[in-house]
Amino acid sequence: MRIVLIGAGNVATHVGSRLKSSGVELIQLYSHSIQSAQALGSLLEIPFTNTLKKVVTDADVYIYMLKDSVLQEVSTQIDARNALHIHTAGAVSIDIFKGKKKNYGVLYPLQTFSKTKAVNFDEIPLFMEANNEFSLNILEKVAYSLSSNVYILSSEKRKYLHLSAVFSCNFTNYMYLLAGKLVNKAGLDYNILLPLIEETARKLKSLTPYEAQTGPAVRDDKNVIYSHLELLKNDEKLSEIYKLLSESITAEFNNVSFG
Amino acid sequence: MRIVLIGAGNVATHVGSRLKSSGVELIQLYSHSIQSAQALGSLLEIPFTNTLKKVVTDADVYIYMLKDSVLQEVSTQIDARNALHIHTAGAVSIDIFKGKKKNYGVLYPLQTFSKTKAVNFDEIPLFMEANNEFSLNILEKVAYSLSSNVYILSSEKRKYLHLSAVFSCNFTNYMYLLAGKLVNKAGLDYNILLPLIEETARKLKSLTPYEAQTGPAVRDDKNVIYSHLELLKNDEKLSEIYKLLSESITAEFNNVSFG
């Protein structure tokens, strides 16, 4: 199984490194940026190019790990008729390849990747979708060389999964970011929050988020909420976020108790 | 050092258990609910009461672990002139005791407590404040019997710390809750999100929240954002949260790049 990697961003870096360490044969890397192509190509010790026409056409698998907005354009320009073409984008349908490729699929890793932070691939759930049996067969081999935590999921359902990842990862990280600004106002370093942040995540191993919810909004403790809004009065955006989330939590838990 | 615990909620349960296991002498527990008083009193193997007049008056320390709204009322009714009176509320000033007690202080644990989930006290940061040297001296003893991670912090600064805990814990948990609803729409179990949630928290050990931010909003990827809003079109509240947070992330990171 000879694989070409298309892309040199966060996903390509981690997927490429993992495939290499699993002993999969990586034969080339493409990125539109020569710097990125060189950086990741060197790391993986494989040939790289920033010219689409120089991408080899005789590989078995092409894995597109690109921004959603350029996925269509780049994949159309790679002509390898009998190969399997896979993208890794949670929010993009498998149909982006329809009528353009013979064998295609999706392999979506439910994880957050930053270039400089190692991840434990074994625990990452992977969601597969393929257009036919032949594609599924090869896709499975790629998937299991990355993780043993592999599922089949349709594009329709994957949309919701991807959206849930935005809430549980991207928006969560943004809460950390906002908390960091506030903790600085207390004259303290960001690190002071880490035990709280870790425990908040860890709680979910034994409690549901409903059971784990604490704080003034779930208690509908208006005194505390007003004193917080007073502290935020000079920051319109942050006040708005605080109000909307607190109202929403209060409503959620009142509905639960009376429902 | 003979201690009376006032309250039988999440904080009292964890603080009480930890003090007991540190060998501190707990002499009584009060809660306005006899069921709660009995449950925690039995767990800690100490006398309990739900009658304020029966609270002993000869203890050295009284620790109030109550809802902010009843703290004033309950503490006023406990008359032990020479004792140290401590509350554990992040959002309440030390001045709640001013003119009413001789020796008083605050001991705020920066952690989220749920009754049924054990916590590792050693890593919990504790923030102390006392009205005089005598109070600080005793307060320190109580604090170090709970954790070795002890700081002094004024009420003014503690307000910001408490607010930052709402963002990094309460709002974060609410993001998990919303994500759970969405993952159910994909026909998947909540647990599928746990590796992502843990990695999102773990990332902060090596990256700042600015460096760790991923997702469509930070990339200003409007196609993905619109497709997510399309999925949420029948849920007004969730759409509003998604829009506000995405706009705020996009603005934050544009300011950073041009700033």
Side-chain angles (χ1 to χ4, degrees):
Chain A
M1 191 167 63
R2 301 163 73 246
I3 295 183
V4 171
L5 305 175
I6 312 290
N10 294 342
V11 176
T13 301
H14 288 283
V15 167
S17 303
R18 174 68 171 190
L19 288 172
K20 182 181 159 76
S21 71
S22 299
V24 172
E25 194 181 352
L26 302 176
I27 59 169
Q28 195 184 29
L29 174 94
Y30 163 85
S31 168
H32 75 288
S33 145
I34 190 64
Q35 287 82 4
S36 303
Q38 179 163 16
L40 186 54
S42 307
L43 181 75
L44 300 174
E45 300 172 306
I46 55 173
F48 56 86
T49 177
N50 71 332
T51 307
L52 272 168
K53 290 190 174 160
K54 290 188 182 163
V55 172
V56 298
T57 55
D58 63 342
D60 301 305
V61 182
Y62 295 77
I63 310 181
Y64 302 85
M65 293 162 286
L66 299 167
K67 278 187 197 157
D68 298 4
S69 51
V70 300
L71 188 51
Q72 177 107 53
E73 189 197 326
V74 172
S75 65
T76 304
Q77 290 182 65
I78 291 180
D79 190 24
R81 282 163 207 264
N82 293 315
L84 173 65
H85 298 261
I86 308 169
H87 77 69
T88 58
V92 178
S93 167
I94 189 174
D95 292 342
I96 197 169
F97 293 129
K98 199 171 181 174
K100 286 161 191 146
K101 307 290 181 198
K102 195 167 106 194
N103 304 306
Y104 54 91
V106 181
L107 185 62
Y108 172 55
L110 184 64
Q111 193 48 283
T112 169
F113 298 105
S114 294
K115 274 185 192 173
T116 57
K117 167 73 179 71
V119 294
N120 177 7
F121 246 103
D122 290 322
E123 63 173 30
I124 298 180
L126 296 179
F127 297 88
M128 296 189 301
E129 185 179 13
N131 75 315
N132 61 38
E133 280 295 314
F134 172 83
S135 299
L136 185 61
N137 226 295
I138 302 176
L139 183 52
E140 268 184 334
K141 281 182 199 156
V142 178
Y144 281 103
S145 68
L146 287 166
S147 170
S148 53
N149 209 354
V150 177
Y151 304 82
I152 292 181
L153 195 74
S154 70
S155 289
E156 205 47 52
K157 289 183 171 174
R158 195 175 58 250
K159 276 189 202 170
Y160 284 100
L161 184 62
H162 184 257
L163 180 55
S164 83
V166 169
F167 279 87
S168 56
C169 170
N170 307 151
F171 289 168
T172 288
N173 185 74
Y174 189 55
M175 294 299 122
Y176 301 159
L177 192 156
L178 298 177
K181 293 185 181 197
L182 292 164
V183 93
N184 291 342
K185 289 205 174 186
L188 295 164
D189 187 82
Y190 185 74
N191 288 335
I192 205 84
L193 288 171
L194 292 183
L196 177 61
I197 284 173
E198 281 168 47
E199 174 66 13
T200 304
R202 205 158 43 206
K203 263 185 160 181
L204 298 187
K205 289 187 176 174
S206 53
L207 302 174
T208 67
Y210 282 96
E211 293 165 335
Q213 188 70 53
T214 54
V218 66
R219 296 192 309 265
D220 199 11
D221 190 337
K222 294 210 166 50
N223 285 334
V224 173
I225 292 173
Y226 291 144
S227 77
H228 284 162
L229 287 172
E230 178 64 22
L231 283 181
L232 293 174
K233 68 182 174 192
N234 294 322
D235 191 327
E236 206 183 322
K237 199 55 147 185
L238 211 49
S239 299
E240 205 185 337
I241 292 172
Y242 185 93
K243 257 188 241 172
L244 181 61
L245 295 180
S246 293
E247 279 167 12
S248 186
I249 292 172
T250 302
E252 182 86 45
F253 281 82
N254 286 334
N255 289 342
V256 165
S257 357
F258 298 119
Chain B
M1 192 167 61
R2 301 163 73 243
I3 296 184
V4 171
L5 306 175
I6 311 289
N10 295 341
V11 176
T13 301
H14 288 282
V15 167
S17 304
R18 175 67 171 189
L19 288 173
K20 182 182 159 77
S21 71
S22 299
V24 171
E25 193 182 352
L26 302 175
I27 60 168
Q28 196 185 28
L29 174 96
Y30 163 84
S31 168
H32 74 288
S33 144
I34 189 66
Q35 287 82 5
S36 304
Q38 181 163 15
L40 186 54
S42 307
L43 181 75
L44 300 174
E45 300 173 305
I46 55 171
F48 56 86
T49 179
N50 71 330
T51 307
L52 272 168
K53 291 190 176 162
K54 290 187 183 165
V55 172
V56 298
T57 55
D58 62 340
D60 301 307
V61 182
Y62 294 77
I63 310 182
Y64 301 85
M65 295 163 284
L66 300 167
K67 279 186 195 156
D68 297 4
S69 51
V70 299
L71 187 50
Q72 178 107 53
E73 189 198 327
V74 172
S75 65
T76 305
Q77 291 182 64
I78 292 179
D79 190 24
R81 284 166 205 258
N82 294 314
L84 172 66
H85 298 262
I86 309 169
H87 77 68
T88 57
V92 178
S93 167
I94 189 175
D95 292 341
I96 198 169
F97 293 128
K98 200 171 181 175
K100 287 162 191 146
K101 308 290 181 197
K102 196 168 106 195
N103 304 306
Y104 54 90
V106 180
L107 186 62
Y108 173 55
L110 184 65
Q111 192 49 283
T112 169
F113 298 105
S114 295
K115 275 188 192 170
T116 57
K117 167 74 178 70
V119 295
N120 178 7
F121 246 102
D122 290 323
E123 62 173 31
I124 299 180
L126 297 179
F127 297 88
M128 295 189 302
E129 185 179 15
N131 75 314
N132 60 38
E133 278 295 314
F134 172 83
S135 299
L136 184 60
N137 224 295
I138 302 177
L139 183 51
E140 269 184 335
K141 280 183 198 155
V142 178
Y144 281 103
S145 68
L146 288 166
S147 171
S148 53
N149 209 353
V150 177
Y151 304 83
I152 291 182
L153 195 74
S154 70
S155 289
E156 207 45 54
K157 288 182 173 175
R158 195 175 59 251
K159 277 189 202 171
Y160 284 100
L161 183 63
H162 184 257
L163 180 54
S164 83
V166 169
F167 279 86
S168 57
C169 170
N170 307 150
F171 289 168
T172 288
N173 186 74
Y174 189 54
M175 295 299 123
Y176 301 159
L177 192 158
L178 297 176
K181 293 184 180 197
L182 292 164
V183 94
N184 291 340
K185 288 204 175 186
L188 295 164
D189 186 83
Y190 185 74
N191 289 334
I192 206 84
L193 289 171
L194 291 183
L196 177 61
I197 284 172
E198 282 169 46
E199 174 64 14
T200 303
R202 205 158 42 207
K203 261 184 161 181
L204 297 189
K205 288 185 177 175
S206 53
L207 301 174
T208 68
Y210 282 95
E211 292 164 337
Q213 188 69 52
T214 55
V218 66
R219 296 193 308 265
D220 199 11
D221 190 336
K222 294 209 167 50
N223 285 335
V224 173
I225 291 172
Y226 292 145
S227 77
H228 283 163
L229 287 172
E230 177 65 23
L231 283 181
L232 293 175
K233 68 181 172 192
N234 294 322
D235 191 327
E236 205 182 320
K237 200 57 152 183
L238 212 48
S239 299
E240 206 186 336
I241 292 172
Y242 184 92
K243 255 189 244 174
L244 180 61
L245 295 180
S246 294
E247 278 167 14
S248 185
I249 292 172
T250 302
E252 182 85 45
F253 282 82
N254 285 335
N255 289 343
V256 166
S257 356
F258 297 118

